[in-house]
Amino acid sequence: MRSSQDYRAPFALKIAAVLGLLFMHLPILLIFVYAFTTEDKTYQWPPPGFTLKWFEVTWNRPDVWEALRLSVKVSAISTVIALVLGTLCAAAVSRSKFFGRETISLLVILPIALPGIITGIALRSAFNIADIPFSVWTIVLGHATFCVVVVYNNAVARFRRSSASLIEASMDLGANGFQTFRYVVLPNIATALLAGGMLAFALSFDEVIVTTFTAGQQTTLPIWMLEELVRPRQRPVTNVVAMVVVLVTFLPILAAYYLTRDGDHVAGDGK
Amino acid sequence: MPNPHAIKPAGGGVFARLSDLFWRRPGVLLLTLLLPPVLWLGVIYIGSLVALLAQSFFSIDEFSGLIKYELTFKTYLELLRPANLDILVRTVSMAAMVTLAAAVIAFPIAYYAARYATGKWKVIFYLGVMLPLWSSYLVKVYAWKLILAKEGILNWIVEKLHLSWALDGILAMPVIGGNSLSVSYIGTFLVFLYVWLPFMILPMQASLERVPLSFLEASSDLGAKPAQTFWAVVFPLALPGMIAGSIFTFSLTLGDYIIPQIVGSSRLFIGQAVYSHQGTAGNIPLAAAFTVVPIIIMAFYLWFAKRKGAFDAI
């Protein structure tokens, strides 16, 4: 018989794993500390004192609100488009075998497999050629393109697990295709879509590389952050914004985790 | 001959008739489902990509600064100029270093999570990787700007530990050194490593989870030492996951232009070169030619990864 000793992790492995996790989390926690610092000219450590003042200052900043509003708008529209396109694609790919099926999967994955700068500059030069002026819609165009894949991945996984006989039963009982979709398919894939939608929202809300090419003079929240990163002007406000962004993106991730935890989870496919 | 209406009476309304059409002709349904996504991705996205790549075969007139619309390989030859070649070599070696380091750091985390973590710890490890993966890219870069700043926490720790001489020694080294961490390659490397690390862990963990415990038992029953088991059994089976993860770390490093701009020396990476050529310089052909390099590298990489079975691990 084997001793239970073998099932316990070697000490060195444990230490390396925990150190790795700390390496991934400490930098983010550091931002939480900096949001309360009284220092406003440098990134001094340790902070000379703590204050809540910067939260109020940030709250009263119209430019931050403006950027936030644009970001939410873009992410919301992109998510809706991605939900529609991703679900359609997933339904087609998982229900039937057809010529070029592999190509469709590749087409969906390509926008995130290629570096974002390529998507960005390609769209930018296409806008130039077609003489399309920058607007909310040019940003949405870019975002929806790479958000399709997260919805698609979630929906495909769920379609694979749900049984086709349910749909046949519904049809046998006299429902037409649309009724079947509404009352049988949709309830089945709803949580997967919700999870995919939330991830798509998070992905779009955070996107900066493609956006710098498709936004023109408009400022989304990540572009506002980028400007502060390149030329720091209001460090305390940036600290607060950074902390809020971390908190806001954590919520959909946690929610998406709990929604898909007992099924084929969404994880493991990267962004 | 059975009357189809006896089985299913013709329904009223557009929806019912459409629904019948879809049922009788699945091809029409498939086409309807695929049309919107294919139009969007195939026409808008692929169309833009092709338009961009086509421009790399044009060249820019040196005197007027205007684009000459004649097919030529001149722009590609320009990539081979020492300054541009430097950029390519620098970016590819950075991507390779980041990928290697990410694999080394990711392995213990993935292995522990896949093999030993149970119950509560499984959740902690899972979320512990997912949260950094999904938290804002810019915020993560910003965090490192705070850490690497001269007055920041890293220098403070080094000073408290009386290790300033070691840090100065490292910074005095040629190539990788610099005036301070935030303007050296080491700084750029650390930020890249930090930002892309979760992308390595997840596929690695997925492939390690599929290594059957009985293989390890068989290996040790046959007398292999733990190190032998690792190299002969675990590592080869984890390799597809590692390659899958490296697709992300490699590709993302190749195309990034924000991290080296914020933390690093002023020496350019591919992404920055593309950005500056398409922007102020207005040299779209050269920018387009630059983007072809990562596309070709990634195409080879994906082909290689597919042969090694990495796609089952994603």
Side-chain angles (χ1 to χ4, degrees):
Chain A
M1 285 304 288
R2 297 167 58 82
S3 64
S4 63
Q5 190 70 35
D6 295 66
Y7 291 102
R8 233 178 290 144
F11 187 64
L13 178 68
K14 215 182 215 164
I15 293 293
V18 169
L19 283 182
L21 278 189
L22 286 178
F23 173 67
M24 287 200 287
H25 287 270
L26 289 182
I28 297 178
L29 289 178
L30 191 70
I31 287 182
F32 283 64
V33 180
Y34 269 96
F36 299 94
T37 181
T38 47
E39 171 67 44
D40 64 344
K41 293 280 180 295
T42 67
Y43 299 122
Q44 190 194 343
W45 183 271
F50 293 100
T51 171
L52 287 170
K53 183 174 86 179
W54 305 118
F55 286 85
E56 196 199 330
V57 174
T58 311
W59 184 267
N60 293 322
R61 286 287 296 270
D63 57 333
V64 174
W65 283 108
E66 203 52 50
L68 179 66
R69 204 167 298 135
L70 181 64
S71 273
V72 170
K73 192 168 156 191
V74 166
S75 310
I77 303 174
S78 310
T79 304
V80 171
I81 296 176
L83 276 173
V84 174
L85 296 180
T87 314
L88 287 177
C89 235
V93 166
S94 59
R95 277 278 165 258
S96 41
K97 296 223 181 311
F98 55 92
F99 178 74
R101 192 160 160 252
E102 297 284 306
T103 319
I104 299 284
S105 326
L106 183 68
L107 193 62
V108 173
I109 294 170
L110 203 60
I112 52 160
L114 286 182
I117 192 166
I118 296 178
T119 308
I121 183 179
L123 288 175
R124 165 80 154 249
S125 74
F127 294 152
N128 273 343
I129 294 169
D131 233 349
I132 301 171
F134 293 116
S135 68
V136 176
W137 295 101
T138 53
I139 309 181
V140 167
L141 203 71
H143 283 201
T145 304
F146 57 74
C147 284
V148 172
V149 66
V150 283
V151 177
Y152 170 83
N153 274 346
N154 273 349
V156 154
R158 186 61 62 88
F159 271 129
R160 263 190 213 134
R161 287 189 306 129
S162 59
S163 129
S165 53
L166 278 178
I167 294 171
E168 284 161 16
S170 158
M171 300 290 236
D172 285 350
L173 291 169
N176 69 27
F178 295 93
Q179 288 168 323
T180 304
F181 178 76
R182 167 71 187 79
Y183 295 108
V184 178
V185 178
L186 200 58
N188 250 324
I189 60 170
T191 48
L193 290 190
L194 191 59
M198 276 191 284
L199 294 179
F201 191 93
L203 191 55
S204 161
F205 191 77
D206 180 41
E207 216 292 330
V208 65
I209 294 199
V210 176
T211 318
T212 48
F213 289 95
T214 56
Q217 298 299 312
Q218 307 165 85
T219 308
T220 61
L221 202 58
I223 293 205
W224 185 92
M225 278 284 297
L226 181 62
E227 278 163 12
E228 285 303 313
L229 269 171
V230 178
R231 271 173 238 87
R233 271 175 302 223
Q234 311 102 351
R235 290 165 208 250
V237 178
T238 314
N239 292 336
V240 172
V241 170
M243 183 182 120
V244 172
V245 167
V246 170
L247 288 176
V248 169
T249 39
F250 274 18
L251 295 177
I253 305 316
L254 287 175
Y257 167 69
Y258 282 107
L259 283 174
T260 51
R261 142 179 83 146
D262 12 76
D264 265 340
H265 52 72
V266 293
D269 40 30
K271 271 199 181 178
Chain B
M1 197 183 116
N3 177 2
H5 293 288
I7 300 168
K8 181 168 186 317
V14 180
F15 281 121
R17 244 179 294 155
L18 209 56
S19 158
D20 289 352
L21 175 71
F22 287 157
W23 181 250
R24 279 194 213 103
R25 295 177 181 274
V28 177
L29 173 61
L30 190 65
L31 199 70
T32 320
L33 289 177
L34 279 178
L35 200 64
V38 167
L39 272 185
W40 185 290
L41 291 170
V43 176
I44 301 180
Y45 181 63
I46 300 292
S48 318
L49 270 185
V50 170
L52 173 73
L53 297 184
Q55 297 195 51
S56 65
F57 293 102
F58 300 146
S59 65
I60 200 150
D61 192 294
E62 273 139 43
F63 300 105
S64 62
L66 294 174
I67 298 171
K68 279 196 291 194
Y69 293 98
E70 288 162 20
L71 286 187
T72 167
F73 283 99
K74 204 178 126 210
T75 314
Y76 281 100
L77 287 179
E78 218 166 300
L79 275 188
L80 299 176
R81 283 210 309 232
N84 290 337
L85 212 52
D86 261 5
I87 295 177
L88 299 182
V89 171
R90 180 177 306 132
T91 313
V92 173
S93 28
M94 177 62 87
M97 295 299 293
V98 169
T99 301
L100 274 181
V104 170
I105 297 184
F107 191 84
I109 302 175
Y111 194 52
Y112 191 91
R115 178 136 185 250
Y116 297 103
T118 48
K120 188 183 75 180
W121 278 99
K122 193 117 200 158
V123 178
I124 290 177
F125 266 91
Y126 177 72
L127 288 178
V129 177
M130 286 309 274
L131 290 180
L133 171 71
W134 284 93
S135 44
S136 166
Y137 163 83
L138 281 175
V139 167
K140 285 186 273 191
V141 180
Y142 185 65
W144 278 88
K145 195 166 169 148
L146 299 175
I147 293 171
L148 296 175
K150 255 208 157 78
E151 68 276 15
I153 187 167
L154 195 64
N155 272 325
W156 180 78
I157 292 174
V158 167
E159 223 162 88
K160 289 280 164 188
L161 295 174
H162 302 288
L163 288 172
S164 300
W165 54 271
L167 183 62
D168 289 339
I170 293 170
L171 286 175
M173 279 199 261
V175 187
I176 59 166
N179 280 334
S180 78
L181 274 178
S182 56
V183 295
S184 69
Y185 280 142
I186 303 175
T188 321
F189 168 80
L190 280 173
V191 184
F192 271 133
L193 177 63
Y194 177 75
V195 173
W196 309 137
L197 182 60
F199 290 89
M200 180 63 98
I201 298 176
L202 284 173
M204 210 187 243
Q205 189 182 334
S207 70
L208 281 170
E209 250 155 24
R210 270 176 284 184
V211 177
L213 207 57
S214 55
F215 279 29
L216 308 182
E217 289 169 355
S219 169
S220 72
D221 284 352
L222 292 168
K225 294 191 183 70
Q228 280 174 309
T229 305
F230 175 81
W231 287 112
V233 180
V234 179
F235 184 76
L237 289 171
L239 200 59
M242 242 178 247
I243 296 173
S246 73
I247 294 173
F248 292 111
T249 54
F250 203 80
S251 157
L252 290 167
T253 312
L254 277 187
D256 195 281
Y257 72 94
I258 288 178
I259 290 173
Q261 181 191 353
I262 289 167
V263 177
S265 60
S266 51
R267 283 163 293 195
L268 296 181
F269 282 72
I270 290 180
Q272 291 167 290
V274 171
Y275 189 75
S276 62
H277 282 303
Q278 67 86 35
T280 43
N283 192 347
I284 297 272
L286 188 55
F290 260 115
T291 62
V292 170
V293 178
I295 292 180
I296 292 177
I297 294 177
M298 285 322 293
F300 270 110
Y301 210 112
L302 288 175
W303 170 78
F304 170 75
K306 197 168 175 142
R307 276 192 41 179
K308 292 278 172 191
F311 286 105
D312 306 326
I314 296 181

